[in-house]
Amino acid sequence: MERKPVIQLQDIYKRFYIGTPNELQVLNGINLTVEEGEFVAIVGQSGSGKSTLMNIIGALDRPTEGEYHLDGVDMIAAKDGELSQIRNRKIGFVFQTYNLISKTNAIKNVEMPMLYAGVSGRKRVERAKELLTLVGMEERMRHLPEELSGGQKQRVAIARAMANDPAIILADEPTGALDSATGRLVMDIFHRLHKEQGKTIVLITHSPELAEETERLITIKDGNITGERSGRNGQ
């Protein structure tokens, strides 16, 4: 079955401190297409530009130059309000630092994106419980983040990313702060979401071993895509 392109980046440049003596060009004309239902890894060393690229894909930042279409929407022309709706409904974010709200228990953290999307209270609770069960956290849904291990926090973060059933998951170094056994658990959850729910997943990592598990590896260095090849799960 032919997949349709869902993320389309063309000639993307990103500069900081524009017009100043210390102007910094981080992305140098990136061209990248990710298709619906694909599991892609963007791999590169620290400072390669991969997190800047992730922020542009996730509409957390705008490029200095270039074209970006997400599921047919022109993201450059989109107003801030439209971008925030797209972030809330179409994209699930998973970060290395979890980004959980510290004074709020696991179930409330997972409910948060649904609250912004206007989902009713009862439906929010039902969905949050279902997602925490999916990631094996049903026993700890009333715990605060400080009462959870790193791996448990990351599983809550994945459940939260899935709250509004987004088509796309962007994971920025999701196993970076975890030991290898816990990182394995987190990667297994991503594989399940990809295979069983058909999610499009873009994984940012500096780990070639994790990148190998995906369908396609894209290598980025000094703001340029320097290589692309199939991973172990590639067609």
Side-chain angles (χ1 to χ4, degrees), residues 82-108:
E82 192 182 352
L83 291 180
S84 108
Q85 267 205 328
I86 287 167
R87 280 195 301 270
N88 187 249
R89 292 169 186 272
K90 281 200 172 183
I91 303 170
F93 295 94
V94 182
F95 300 98
Q96 180 175 348
T97 49
Y98 323 122
N99 288 14
L100 299 177
I101 298 162
S102 59
K103 301 281 184 258
T104 299
N105 66 20
I107 197 163
K108 293 284 185 203

Side-chain angles (χ1 to χ4, degrees), residues 115-169:
L115 185 66
Y116 292 127
V119 177
S120 74
R122 202 185 69 206
K123 280 192 175 159
R124 288 201 308 268
V125 173
E126 274 173 22
R127 173 87 176 139
K129 282 182 176 173
E130 179 191 312
L131 289 167
L132 285 165
T133 303
L134 177 79
V135 298
M137 287 295 290
E138 63 273 26
E139 302 294 316
R140 305 189 78 88
M141 52 180 79
R142 304 286 172 195
H143 288 62
L144 294 171
E146 67 188 29
E147 300 169 318
L148 302 173
S149 69
Q152 289 169 335
K153 285 183 209 172
Q154 196 58 293
R155 284 189 275 164
V156 173
I158 293 170
R160 181 188 56 190
M162 296 295 297
N164 289 326
D165 197 20
I168 301 162
I169 297 172

